Amino acid sequence: MNTGGSAARRVRAAGWLDEPLPPVRLSIEVFPPKTKEAAERLWQNLELFVEARPRFLSVTCGAGGIGATTTYPLAVAIQERFRVPVAAHLTCAAGSRAEIRALLERYRAAGITRIVALRGDPPKGVAGFVPPADGYAYAVDLVRAISELGGFEVSVACYPEVHPEAPSPDFDLDNLKRKIDAGAVRAIAQYCFDTDRILRFRDAMVRAGIRCEFVPGIMPIHSFQQIKRFSQACGASIPAWLAELFEGVAEGSALHGMIAATVVSEQVRRLAAEGFRALHLYALNRAELPLFIVQILRASRVSTAD
Ligand code: FAD
């Protein structure tokens, strides 16, 4: 059942689109679809996302490539169709310095000047990241190159639970500092279900003198099994309380949806109460839970104003 359409109707019925922006803004991340059907669904969902007035929509870059034939056309098409701010993810993977520079010039020509600069992950089944010939080895090198070109607003990734390949937490934090010092203005966090860790990471950033916008990443759990797989790959942990909540719950059931909605709403409300004014939503091209989060933030605003 696709509930996205009815959620949008509720949003319209509430007259919400005429209201001022809520104090917590969302950026929403989508990925280039692989099939015609998936593309159709994505475009339907994008309409709903745009109605929720995101701060920007970001388009990922598939593992193992810089996205010239995937990220670029989708990012440009979204911007042309909706006239919303779009950020393109750009990785060091599989592209020489010259190819990356040429792609950046194409983004600039298309009016896309927000870049999420990443090292990237190796393609599925390949162990370890191997920098391309005459390419960049780490995200910091890419950030430096983009800063040298000028005219782009750069975000980078950060890891409240530490990147799995980092030699130590301090090294990883220092790596973030180097990325910010190289010209990035925003650190977007890997998702982390342990909100206390996100708050401790914010404190650690302040102690380390990292001055930039810190945006927690929010992962709605459309499928707990899928999130377990993702988490193994990216180093995010699944807390015992979360595993217990989903224990024995059928994927796709109403109960699964209720638990997922409760988990994400508690996290988003707590982060809002802790003073975060921007969150990054890993939508995975799905609309139901992202639109639910939009509702929650709006309701939070009403309740804090009361
Ligand atoms: P880096 O900042 O370069 O760090 C990678 C690792 O190297 C870290 O462990 C760091 O501590 C270590 N390191 C840094 N410098 C050195 C050094 N000199 N010597 C030794 N170790 C060092 N992946 C994609 O493929 N496409 C995407 O679109 C994408 N989007 C993402 C968006 C967000 C918000 C996030 C959080 C992640 C995203 N990723 C994406 C995943 C990301 O590419 C991986 O997590 C990748 O493994 C690391 O990327 P990074 O930019 O953090 O790398």
Side-chain angles (χ1 to χ4, degrees), residues 195-241:
T195 306
D196 286 330
R197 282 194 83 140
I198 299 175
L199 300 177
R200 288 202 296 275
F201 188 75
R202 177 170 66 175
D203 293 344
M205 281 177 66
V206 172
R207 278 198 304 276
I210 302 173
R211 291 189 217 301
C212 69
E213 187 187 8
F214 170 41
V215 183
I218 304 295
M219 177 64 90
I221 305 178
H222 288 107
S223 156
F224 184 61
Q225 294 309 322
Q226 182 192 40
I227 295 303
K228 272 204 321 203
R229 285 194 300 278
F230 278 0
S231 301
Q232 262 169 5
C234 76
S237 63
I238 301 284
W241 59 264

mmCIF file of all heavy atoms in Angstrom, residues 195-241:
data_model
loop_
_atom_site.group_PDB
_atom_site.id
_atom_site.type_symbol
_atom_site.label_atom_id
_atom_site.label_comp_id
_atom_site.label_asym_id
_atom_site.label_seq_id
_atom_site.Cartn_x
_atom_site.Cartn_y
_atom_site.Cartn_z
ATOM 1 N N THR A 195 21.021 8.006 20.371
ATOM 2 C CA THR A 195 21.014 9.477 20.333
ATOM 3 C C THR A 195 22.049 10.064 21.305
ATOM 4 O O THR A 195 22.634 11.115 21.035
ATOM 5 C CB THR A 195 19.592 9.999 20.639
ATOM 6 O OG1 THR A 195 18.692 9.361 19.727
ATOM 7 C CG2 THR A 195 19.476 11.496 20.460
ATOM 8 N N ASP A 196 22.284 9.372 22.430
ATOM 9 C CA ASP A 196 23.309 9.869 23.365
ATOM 10 C C ASP A 196 24.671 9.973 22.680
ATOM 11 O O ASP A 196 25.448 10.886 22.939
ATOM 12 C CB ASP A 196 23.433 8.939 24.581
ATOM 13 C CG ASP A 196 22.238 9.114 25.515
ATOM 14 O OD1 ASP A 196 21.680 10.227 25.562
ATOM 15 O OD2 ASP A 196 21.849 8.127 26.164
ATOM 16 N N ARG A 197 24.954 9.024 21.810
ATOM 17 C CA ARG A 197 26.260 9.058 21.103
ATOM 18 C C ARG A 197 26.335 10.262 20.179
ATOM 19 O O ARG A 197 27.394 10.862 20.004
ATOM 20 C CB ARG A 197 26.473 7.774 20.291
ATOM 21 C CG ARG A 197 26.902 6.637 21.176
ATOM 22 C CD ARG A 197 27.433 5.514 20.349
ATOM 23 N NE ARG A 197 28.831 5.734 19.987
ATOM 24 C CZ ARG A 197 29.746 4.780 19.974
ATOM 25 N NH1 ARG A 197 29.418 3.551 20.287
ATOM 26 N NH2 ARG A 197 30.979 5.033 19.611
ATOM 27 N N ILE A 198 25.210 10.600 19.560
ATOM 28 C CA ILE A 198 25.204 11.789 18.688
ATOM 29 C C ILE A 198 25.513 13.031 19.520
ATOM 30 O O ILE A 198 26.303 13.889 19.121
ATOM 31 C CB ILE A 198 23.835 11.940 17.975
ATOM 32 C CG1 ILE A 198 23.555 10.718 17.103
ATOM 33 C CG2 ILE A 198 23.777 13.227 17.169
ATOM 34 C CD1 ILE A 198 22.172 10.713 16.455
ATOM 35 N N LEU A 199 24.910 13.087 20.701
ATOM 36 C CA LEU A 199 25.131 14.264 21.555
ATOM 37 C C LEU A 199 26.581 14.311 22.051
ATOM 38 O O LEU A 199 27.203 15.376 22.082
ATOM 39 C CB LEU A 199 24.158 14.245 22.744
ATOM 40 C CG LEU A 199 22.670 14.271 22.343
ATOM 41 C CD1 LEU A 199 21.780 14.167 23.577
ATOM 42 C CD2 LEU A 199 22.335 15.537 21.558
ATOM 43 N N ARG A 200 27.128 13.132 22.396
ATOM 44 C CA ARG A 200 28.533 13.104 22.839
ATOM 45 C C ARG A 200 29.468 13.499 21.690
ATOM 46 O O ARG A 200 30.471 14.169 21.893
ATOM 47 C CB ARG A 200 28.903 11.708 23.371
ATOM 48 C CG ARG A 200 28.263 11.391 24.720
ATOM 49 C CD ARG A 200 29.036 10.299 25.457
ATOM 50 N NE ARG A 200 29.029 9.023 24.774
ATOM 51 C CZ ARG A 200 28.059 8.109 24.889
ATOM 52 N NH1 ARG A 200 27.013 8.337 25.654
ATOM 53 N NH2 ARG A 200 28.128 6.964 24.239
ATOM 54 N N PHE A 201 29.085 13.082 20.478
ATOM 55 C CA PHE A 201 29.909 13.435 19.311
ATOM 56 C C PHE A 201 29.887 14.960 19.099
ATOM 57 O O PHE A 201 30.918 15.565 18.797
ATOM 58 C CB PHE A 201 29.391 12.711 18.065
ATOM 59 C CG PHE A 201 30.279 12.859 16.866
ATOM 60 C CD1 PHE A 201 31.474 12.149 16.784
ATOM 61 C CD2 PHE A 201 29.943 13.706 15.825
ATOM 62 C CE1 PHE A 201 32.305 12.288 15.678
ATOM 63 C CE2 PHE A 201 30.760 13.856 14.721
ATOM 64 C CZ PHE A 201 31.953 13.139 14.642
ATOM 65 N N ARG A 202 28.716 15.560 19.281
ATOM 66 C CA ARG A 202 28.643 17.030 19.155
ATOM 67 C C ARG A 202 29.580 17.689 20.171
ATOM 68 O O ARG A 202 30.316 18.617 19.836
ATOM 69 C CB ARG A 202 27.200 17.503 19.370
ATOM 70 C CG ARG A 202 27.068 19.017 19.313
ATOM 71 C CD ARG A 202 25.630 19.485 19.281
ATOM 72 N NE ARG A 202 24.898 19.181 20.508
ATOM 73 C CZ ARG A 202 23.651 19.582 20.749
ATOM 74 N NH1 ARG A 202 23.002 20.283 19.825
ATOM 75 N NH2 ARG A 202 23.043 19.274 21.871
ATOM 76 N N ASP A 203 29.572 17.185 21.409
ATOM 77 C CA ASP A 203 30.464 17.735 22.439
ATOM 78 C C ASP A 203 31.929 17.560 22.019
ATOM 79 O O ASP A 203 32.754 18.467 22.193
ATOM 80 C CB ASP A 203 30.244 17.019 23.781
ATOM 81 C CG ASP A 203 28.868 17.319 24.362
ATOM 82 O OD1 ASP A 203 28.226 18.286 23.902
ATOM 83 O OD2 ASP A 203 28.429 16.572 25.265
ATOM 84 N N ALA A 204 32.238 16.366 21.480
ATOM 85 C CA ALA A 204 33.629 16.095 21.079
ATOM 86 C C ALA A 204 34.060 17.029 19.952
ATOM 87 O O ALA A 204 35.203 17.492 19.916
ATOM 88 C CB ALA A 204 33.770 14.636 20.650
ATOM 89 N N MET A 205 33.134 17.308 19.040
ATOM 90 C CA MET A 205 33.459 18.240 17.947
ATOM 91 C C MET A 205 33.805 19.619 18.517
ATOM 92 O O MET A 205 34.772 20.251 18.090
ATOM 93 C CB MET A 205 32.267 18.373 16.978
ATOM 94 C CG MET A 205 32.136 17.227 15.998
ATOM 95 S SD MET A 205 30.668 17.403 14.948
ATOM 96 C CE MET A 205 31.056 18.863 13.982
ATOM 97 N N VAL A 206 33.015 20.054 19.486
ATOM 98 C CA VAL A 206 33.259 21.378 20.087
ATOM 99 C C VAL A 206 34.626 21.380 20.771
ATOM 100 O O VAL A 206 35.441 22.290 20.571
ATOM 101 C CB VAL A 206 32.131 21.740 21.085
ATOM 102 C CG1 VAL A 206 32.469 23.009 21.866
ATOM 103 C CG2 VAL A 206 30.794 21.899 20.346
ATOM 104 N N ARG A 207 34.891 20.303 21.558
ATOM 105 C CA ARG A 207 36.190 20.216 22.266
ATOM 106 C C ARG A 207 37.357 20.213 21.284
ATOM 107 O O ARG A 207 38.419 20.759 21.555
ATOM 108 C CB ARG A 207 36.249 18.949 23.117
ATOM 109 C CG ARG A 207 35.556 19.078 24.480
ATOM 110 C CD ARG A 207 36.014 17.980 25.423
ATOM 111 N NE ARG A 207 35.807 16.655 24.887
ATOM 112 C CZ ARG A 207 34.659 15.967 24.960
ATOM 113 N NH1 ARG A 207 33.607 16.512 25.550
ATOM 114 N NH2 ARG A 207 34.554 14.765 24.447
ATOM 115 N N ALA A 208 37.156 19.583 20.110
ATOM 116 C CA ALA A 208 38.245 19.495 19.121
ATOM 117 C C ALA A 208 38.355 20.780 18.285
ATOM 118 O O ALA A 208 39.190 20.866 17.386
ATOM 119 C CB ALA A 208 38.001 18.299 18.200
ATOM 120 N N GLY A 209 37.497 21.747 18.567
ATOM 121 C CA GLY A 209 37.570 23.023 17.842
ATOM 122 C C GLY A 209 37.052 22.928 16.415
ATOM 123 O O GLY A 209 37.460 23.680 15.536
ATOM 124 N N ILE A 210 36.123 21.969 16.182
ATOM 125 C CA ILE A 210 35.564 21.826 14.830
ATOM 126 C C ILE A 210 34.337 22.728 14.728
ATOM 127 O O ILE A 210 33.308 22.466 15.342
ATOM 128 C CB ILE A 210 35.184 20.355 14.542
ATOM 129 C CG1 ILE A 210 36.413 19.456 14.702
ATOM 130 C CG2 ILE A 210 34.569 20.215 13.156
ATOM 131 C CD1 ILE A 210 36.124 17.973 14.609
ATOM 132 N N ARG A 211 34.496 23.795 13.962
ATOM 133 C CA ARG A 211 33.402 24.761 13.893
ATOM 134 C C ARG A 211 32.735 24.678 12.526
ATOM 135 O O ARG A 211 33.231 25.191 11.538
ATOM 136 C CB ARG A 211 33.942 26.172 14.115
ATOM 137 C CG ARG A 211 34.397 26.357 15.534
ATOM 138 C CD ARG A 211 34.744 27.778 15.891
ATOM 139 N NE ARG A 211 35.885 27.813 16.788
ATOM 140 C CZ ARG A 211 35.930 27.235 17.975
ATOM 141 N NH1 ARG A 211 34.890 26.569 18.426
ATOM 142 N NH2 ARG A 211 37.015 27.305 18.721
ATOM 143 N N CYS A 212 31.612 23.985 12.524
ATOM 144 C CA CYS A 212 30.832 23.879 11.289
ATOM 145 C C CYS A 212 29.446 23.420 11.689
ATOM 146 O O CYS A 212 29.210 23.063 12.852
ATOM 147 C CB CYS A 212 31.450 22.851 10.335
ATOM 148 S SG CYS A 212 31.294 21.164 10.922
ATOM 149 N N GLU A 213 28.552 23.440 10.754
ATOM 150 C CA GLU A 213 27.213 22.928 11.046
ATOM 151 C C GLU A 213 27.290 21.394 11.165
ATOM 152 O O GLU A 213 27.901 20.734 10.315
ATOM 153 C CB GLU A 213 26.258 23.315 9.922
ATOM 154 C CG GLU A 213 24.837 22.948 10.259
ATOM 155 C CD GLU A 213 23.890 23.173 9.085
ATOM 156 O OE1 GLU A 213 24.357 23.473 7.974
ATOM 157 O OE2 GLU A 213 22.690 23.036 9.293
ATOM 158 N N PHE A 214 26.693 20.856 12.204
ATOM 159 C CA PHE A 214 26.676 19.403 12.411
ATOM 160 C C PHE A 214 25.228 18.932 12.239
ATOM 161 O O PHE A 214 24.338 19.354 12.973
ATOM 162 C CB PHE A 214 27.207 19.081 13.815
ATOM 163 C CG PHE A 214 26.999 17.637 14.224
ATOM 164 C CD1 PHE A 214 27.208 16.596 13.327
ATOM 165 C CD2 PHE A 214 26.615 17.327 15.512
ATOM 166 C CE1 PHE A 214 27.019 15.268 13.714
ATOM 167 C CE2 PHE A 214 26.430 16.005 15.914
ATOM 168 C CZ PHE A 214 26.622 14.979 15.005
ATOM 169 N N VAL A 215 25.017 18.089 11.254
ATOM 170 C CA VAL A 215 23.651 17.655 10.920
ATOM 171 C C VAL A 215 23.522 16.144 11.159
ATOM 172 O O VAL A 215 24.101 15.343 10.412
ATOM 173 C CB VAL A 215 23.330 17.975 9.435
ATOM 174 C CG1 VAL A 215 21.887 17.604 9.107
ATOM 175 C CG2 VAL A 215 23.590 19.434 9.125
ATOM 176 N N PRO A 216 22.782 15.743 12.188
ATOM 177 C CA PRO A 216 22.598 14.296 12.408
ATOM 178 C C PRO A 216 21.868 13.644 11.238
ATOM 179 O O PRO A 216 20.966 14.242 10.643
ATOM 180 C CB PRO A 216 21.743 14.234 13.686
ATOM 181 C CG PRO A 216 21.965 15.545 14.374
ATOM 182 C CD PRO A 216 22.164 16.543 13.262
ATOM 183 N N GLY A 217 22.264 12.415 10.932
ATOM 184 C CA GLY A 217 21.591 11.650 9.875
ATOM 185 C C GLY A 217 20.509 10.765 10.486
ATOM 186 O O GLY A 217 20.747 10.119 11.505
ATOM 187 N N ILE A 218 19.360 10.765 9.873
ATOM 188 C CA ILE A 218 18.223 9.994 10.398
ATOM 189 C C ILE A 218 17.873 8.884 9.404
ATOM 190 O O ILE A 218 17.595 9.159 8.235
ATOM 191 C CB ILE A 218 16.986 10.910 10.586
ATOM 192 C CG1 ILE A 218 17.315 12.098 11.499
ATOM 193 C CG2 ILE A 218 15.791 10.116 11.102
ATOM 194 C CD1 ILE A 218 17.655 11.730 12.915
ATOM 195 N N MET A 219 17.873 7.656 9.896
ATOM 196 C CA MET A 219 17.538 6.520 9.031
ATOM 197 C C MET A 219 16.195 5.927 9.453
ATOM 198 O O MET A 219 16.102 5.223 10.461
ATOM 199 C CB MET A 219 18.630 5.451 9.135
ATOM 200 C CG MET A 219 18.337 4.197 8.330
ATOM 201 S SD MET A 219 18.269 4.499 6.556
ATOM 202 C CE MET A 219 19.974 4.240 6.102
ATOM 203 N N PRO A 220 15.131 6.212 8.697
ATOM 204 C CA PRO A 220 13.850 5.576 9.015
ATOM 205 C C PRO A 220 13.941 4.079 8.700
ATOM 206 O O PRO A 220 14.533 3.694 7.688
ATOM 207 C CB PRO A 220 12.853 6.255 8.070
ATOM 208 C CG PRO A 220 13.589 7.361 7.402
ATOM 209 C CD PRO A 220 15.043 7.060 7.498
ATOM 210 N N ILE A 221 13.360 3.249 9.546
ATOM 211 C CA ILE A 221 13.512 1.799 9.364
ATOM 212 C C ILE A 221 12.328 1.244 8.566
ATOM 213 O O ILE A 221 11.339 0.790 9.140
ATOM 214 C CB ILE A 221 13.657 1.090 10.725
ATOM 215 C CG1 ILE A 221 14.816 1.717 11.500
ATOM 216 C CG2 ILE A 221 13.878 -0.409 10.533
ATOM 217 C CD1 ILE A 221 15.041 1.144 12.887
ATOM 218 N N HIS A 222 12.432 1.314 7.248
ATOM 219 C CA HIS A 222 11.375 0.724 6.424
ATOM 220 C C HIS A 222 11.455 -0.791 6.480
ATOM 221 O O HIS A 222 10.447 -1.476 6.352
ATOM 222 C CB HIS A 222 11.500 1.213 4.976
ATOM 223 C CG HIS A 222 11.094 2.648 4.819
ATOM 224 N ND1 HIS A 222 12.006 3.660 4.605
ATOM 225 C CD2 HIS A 222 9.875 3.245 4.871
ATOM 226 C CE1 HIS A 222 11.357 4.816 4.521
ATOM 227 N NE2 HIS A 222 10.073 4.592 4.676
ATOM 228 N N SER A 223 12.673 -1.322 6.630
ATOM 229 C CA SER A 223 12.852 -2.772 6.759
ATOM 230 C C SER A 223 13.992 -3.009 7.747
ATOM 231 O O SER A 223 15.140 -2.624 7.480
ATOM 232 C CB SER A 223 13.204 -3.383 5.400
ATOM 233 O OG SER A 223 13.902 -4.599 5.599
ATOM 234 N N PHE A 224 13.655 -3.617 8.884
ATOM 235 C CA PHE A 224 14.683 -3.822 9.905
ATOM 236 C C PHE A 224 15.797 -4.734 9.388
ATOM 237 O O PHE A 224 16.971 -4.502 9.663
ATOM 238 C CB PHE A 224 14.057 -4.395 11.181
ATOM 239 C CG PHE A 224 15.045 -4.530 12.296
ATOM 240 C CD1 PHE A 224 15.700 -3.417 12.804
ATOM 241 C CD2 PHE A 224 15.344 -5.766 12.833
ATOM 242 C CE1 PHE A 224 16.637 -3.533 13.824
ATOM 243 C CE2 PHE A 224 16.280 -5.892 13.851
ATOM 244 C CZ PHE A 224 16.922 -4.777 14.348
ATOM 245 N N GLN A 225 15.420 -5.757 8.601
ATOM 246 C CA GLN A 225 16.445 -6.679 8.066
ATOM 247 C C GLN A 225 17.422 -5.928 7.159
ATOM 248 O O GLN A 225 18.626 -6.152 7.204
ATOM 249 C CB GLN A 225 15.784 -7.840 7.290
ATOM 250 C CG GLN A 225 14.954 -8.771 8.162
ATOM 251 C CD GLN A 225 15.720 -9.271 9.394
ATOM 252 O OE1 GLN A 225 16.915 -9.551 9.325
ATOM 253 N NE2 GLN A 225 15.040 -9.367 10.522
ATOM 254 N N GLN A 226 16.889 -5.040 6.347
ATOM 255 C CA GLN A 226 17.755 -4.268 5.445
ATOM 256 C C GLN A 226 18.694 -3.360 6.253
ATOM 257 O O GLN A 226 19.880 -3.253 5.949
ATOM 258 C CB GLN A 226 16.869 -3.418 4.517
ATOM 259 C CG GLN A 226 17.639 -2.614 3.509
ATOM 260 C CD GLN A 226 16.758 -1.571 2.817
ATOM 261 O OE1 GLN A 226 15.917 -0.926 3.454
ATOM 262 N NE2 GLN A 226 16.939 -1.423 1.521
ATOM 263 N N ILE A 227 18.153 -2.757 7.311
ATOM 264 C CA ILE A 227 18.977 -1.851 8.122
ATOM 265 C C ILE A 227 20.068 -2.632 8.848
ATOM 266 O O ILE A 227 21.182 -2.146 9.030
ATOM 267 C CB ILE A 227 18.085 -1.067 9.128
ATOM 268 C CG1 ILE A 227 17.137 -0.140 8.370
ATOM 269 C CG2 ILE A 227 18.930 -0.280 10.127
ATOM 270 C CD1 ILE A 227 17.804 0.852 7.445
ATOM 271 N N LYS A 228 19.749 -3.879 9.243
ATOM 272 C CA LYS A 228 20.781 -4.703 9.884
ATOM 273 C C LYS A 228 21.943 -4.940 8.912
ATOM 274 O O LYS A 228 23.111 -4.837 9.268
ATOM 275 C CB LYS A 228 20.185 -6.053 10.325
ATOM 276 C CG LYS A 228 19.588 -5.970 11.701
ATOM 277 C CD LYS A 228 19.478 -7.257 12.476
ATOM 278 C CE LYS A 228 19.106 -8.489 11.768
ATOM 279 N NZ LYS A 228 18.527 -9.535 12.603
ATOM 280 N N ARG A 229 21.602 -5.212 7.645
ATOM 281 C CA ARG A 229 22.651 -5.442 6.632
ATOM 282 C C ARG A 229 23.468 -4.174 6.399
ATOM 283 O O ARG A 229 24.693 -4.180 6.406
ATOM 284 C CB ARG A 229 22.024 -5.916 5.313
ATOM 285 C CG ARG A 229 21.555 -7.358 5.316
ATOM 286 C CD ARG A 229 21.286 -7.831 3.898
ATOM 287 N NE ARG A 229 20.279 -7.065 3.197
ATOM 288 C CZ ARG A 229 18.951 -7.251 3.315
ATOM 289 N NH1 ARG A 229 18.491 -8.191 4.097
ATOM 290 N NH2 ARG A 229 18.096 -6.510 2.632
ATOM 291 N N PHE A 230 22.769 -3.049 6.229
ATOM 292 C CA PHE A 230 23.455 -1.759 6.014
ATOM 293 C C PHE A 230 24.413 -1.486 7.163
ATOM 294 O O PHE A 230 25.534 -1.042 6.980
ATOM 295 C CB PHE A 230 22.445 -0.607 6.031
ATOM 296 C CG PHE A 230 21.721 -0.377 4.755
ATOM 297 C CD1 PHE A 230 21.936 -1.144 3.627
ATOM 298 C CD2 PHE A 230 20.777 0.662 4.677
ATOM 299 C CE1 PHE A 230 21.239 -0.900 2.458
ATOM 300 C CE2 PHE A 230 20.079 0.901 3.513
ATOM 301 C CZ PHE A 230 20.308 0.126 2.411
ATOM 302 N N SER A 231 23.913 -1.740 8.367
ATOM 303 C CA SER A 231 24.674 -1.352 9.556
ATOM 304 C C SER A 231 25.954 -2.161 9.661
ATOM 305 O O SER A 231 26.994 -1.637 10.064
ATOM 306 C CB SER A 231 23.808 -1.515 10.811
ATOM 307 O OG SER A 231 22.648 -0.705 10.676
ATOM 308 N N GLN A 232 25.862 -3.444 9.300
ATOM 309 C CA GLN A 232 27.083 -4.257 9.302
ATOM 310 C C GLN A 232 28.115 -3.666 8.358
ATOM 311 O O GLN A 232 29.303 -3.617 8.651
ATOM 312 C CB GLN A 232 26.766 -5.673 8.844
ATOM 313 C CG GLN A 232 26.590 -6.614 10.016
ATOM 314 C CD GLN A 232 26.017 -7.951 9.592
ATOM 315 O OE1 GLN A 232 25.840 -8.201 8.399
ATOM 316 N NE2 GLN A 232 25.725 -8.787 10.554
ATOM 317 N N ALA A 233 27.639 -3.208 7.204
ATOM 318 C CA ALA A 233 28.564 -2.700 6.181
ATOM 319 C C ALA A 233 29.151 -1.341 6.574
ATOM 320 O O ALA A 233 30.318 -1.073 6.291
ATOM 321 C CB ALA A 233 27.841 -2.604 4.848
ATOM 322 N N CYS A 234 28.356 -0.479 7.226
ATOM 323 C CA CYS A 234 28.843 0.894 7.430
ATOM 324 C C CYS A 234 29.309 1.164 8.852
ATOM 325 O O CYS A 234 29.744 2.267 9.153
ATOM 326 C CB CYS A 234 27.781 1.913 7.007
ATOM 327 S SG CYS A 234 26.438 2.073 8.184
ATOM 328 N N GLY A 235 29.230 0.171 9.715
ATOM 329 C CA GLY A 235 29.782 0.344 11.062
ATOM 330 C C GLY A 235 28.825 0.985 12.051
ATOM 331 O O GLY A 235 29.225 1.342 13.150
ATOM 332 N N ALA A 236 27.553 1.157 11.664
ATOM 333 C CA ALA A 236 26.566 1.681 12.637
ATOM 334 C C ALA A 236 26.112 0.493 13.490
ATOM 335 O O ALA A 236 25.970 -0.618 12.988
ATOM 336 C CB ALA A 236 25.382 2.296 11.899
ATOM 337 N N SER A 237 25.883 0.752 14.770
ATOM 338 C CA SER A 237 25.493 -0.377 15.624
ATOM 339 C C SER A 237 23.965 -0.456 15.735
ATOM 340 O O SER A 237 23.254 0.534 15.538
ATOM 341 C CB SER A 237 26.133 -0.258 17.000
ATOM 342 O OG SER A 237 25.659 0.902 17.628
ATOM 343 N N ILE A 238 23.508 -1.665 16.016
ATOM 344 C CA ILE A 238 22.082 -1.870 16.290
ATOM 345 C C ILE A 238 21.974 -2.092 17.799
ATOM 346 O O ILE A 238 22.356 -3.160 18.306
ATOM 347 C CB ILE A 238 21.542 -3.125 15.551
ATOM 348 C CG1 ILE A 238 21.734 -3.015 14.039
ATOM 349 C CG2 ILE A 238 20.087 -3.386 15.916
ATOM 350 C CD1 ILE A 238 20.764 -2.094 13.330
ATOM 351 N N PRO A 239 21.485 -1.099 18.546
ATOM 352 C CA PRO A 239 21.403 -1.289 19.999
ATOM 353 C C PRO A 239 20.475 -2.454 20.355
ATOM 354 O O PRO A 239 19.522 -2.741 19.599
ATOM 355 C CB PRO A 239 20.812 0.036 20.499
ATOM 356 C CG PRO A 239 20.923 0.996 19.373
ATOM 357 C CD PRO A 239 20.987 0.210 18.109
ATOM 358 N N ALA A 240 20.746 -3.095 21.500
ATOM 359 C CA ALA A 240 19.949 -4.256 21.910
ATOM 360 C C ALA A 240 18.461 -3.899 22.014
ATOM 361 O O ALA A 240 17.591 -4.675 21.604
ATOM 362 C CB ALA A 240 20.471 -4.782 23.241
ATOM 363 N N TRP A 241 18.155 -2.694 22.541
ATOM 364 C CA TRP A 241 16.749 -2.313 22.697
ATOM 365 C C TRP A 241 16.035 -2.258 21.346
ATOM 366 O O TRP A 241 14.855 -2.609 21.235
ATOM 367 C CB TRP A 241 16.594 -0.982 23.447
ATOM 368 C CG TRP A 241 17.272 0.206 22.788
ATOM 369 C CD1 TRP A 241 18.501 0.708 23.072
ATOM 370 C CD2 TRP A 241 16.747 1.024 21.713
ATOM 371 N NE1 TRP A 241 18.792 1.784 22.259
ATOM 372 C CE2 TRP A 241 17.735 2.004 21.424
ATOM 373 C CE3 TRP A 241 15.570 1.040 20.984
ATOM 374 C CZ2 TRP A 241 17.562 2.971 20.432
ATOM 375 C CZ3 TRP A 241 15.400 2.003 19.990
ATOM 376 C CH2 TRP A 241 16.388 2.954 19.722
#
